[in-house]
Amino acid sequence: MQTYKRSVVLQLGVFGFFFFYGLDTIIKSLIDSSLVYSIVELVLLLVILGIGLFFYYKTPKDLLVVVTDKEIKQIKLSLYSVSAALIISILISGLQLDANLKQYLEIATGVLISLSGLFGVYLGVGTLQKNK
């Protein structure tokens, strides 16, 4: 199957966002938020967004890359695991649980989101490297 190289670059950006979102979830459950933390987080988000948009618009629109069925299934698995972790995170926030258990579950969902995002980035980079 063929897809545009630009869509693979966009996929890298989305999975990179999930990786940093999971890290943010882990850090927020371990450290109390402050103004300095929020400013640093916003600046890093804007820098990463700028780099992602630069690479997205730098990529030609008409280049095609080959994606195998195995890679598509792995990407689906990664997206499903991110979705499941986000749904679990939403359910956890609405439940009345012990504080330690709630923190443990938030960290676990953050780890799952980060690992799924990292796996998606790995798949995207592998696809781009294979089709040089």
Side-chain angles (χ1 to χ4, degrees):
M1 174 183 279
Q2 293 181 343
T3 187
Y4 289 110
K5 186 175 183 178
R6 201 175 224 195
S7 65
V8 176
V9 172
L10 181 65
Q11 170 190 323
L12 281 172
V14 170
F15 280 120
F17 169 78
F18 286 138
F19 174 71
F20 286 110
Y21 179 76
L23 286 180
D24 183 56
T25 302
I26 295 167
I27 291 171
K28 278 188 179 180
S29 65
L30 296 175
I31 299 173
D32 293 331
S33 292
S34 65
L35 182 61
V36 174
Y37 174 75
S38 298
I39 291 172
V40 168
E41 184 179 42
L42 182 63
V43 168
L44 287 174
L45 177 70
L46 291 176
V47 167
I48 291 169
L49 183 65
I51 292 170
L53 287 174
F54 172 75
F55 281 114
Y56 178 74
Y57 286 113
K58 184 182 172 192
T59 305
K61 291 181 181 180
D62 56 349
L63 266 138
L64 293 174
V65 294
V66 176
V67 182
T68 63
D69 286 337
K70 179 183 174 186
E71 291 169 338
I72 291 175
K73 288 178 184 178
Q74 289 174 337
I75 291 168
K76 281 184 192 179
L77 176 68
S78 182
L79 286 173
Y80 290 150
S81 60
V82 167
S83 299
L86 289 173
I87 290 171
I88 291 169
S89 177
I90 290 170
L91 292 175
I92 290 169
S93 67
L95 294 175
Q96 297 294 329
L97 298 172
D98 181 42
N100 290 333
L101 177 62
K102 193 171 190 175
Q103 184 180 19
Y104 174 75
L105 291 174
E106 286 175 357
I107 291 171
T109 57
V111 167
L112 182 60
I113 293 170
S114 289
L115 289 177
S116 299
L118 195 60
F119 183 63
V121 168
Y122 171 75
L123 291 172
V125 168
T127 301
L128 291 177
Q129 290 294 322
K130 183 179 72 175
N131 290 289
K132 266 191 168 180

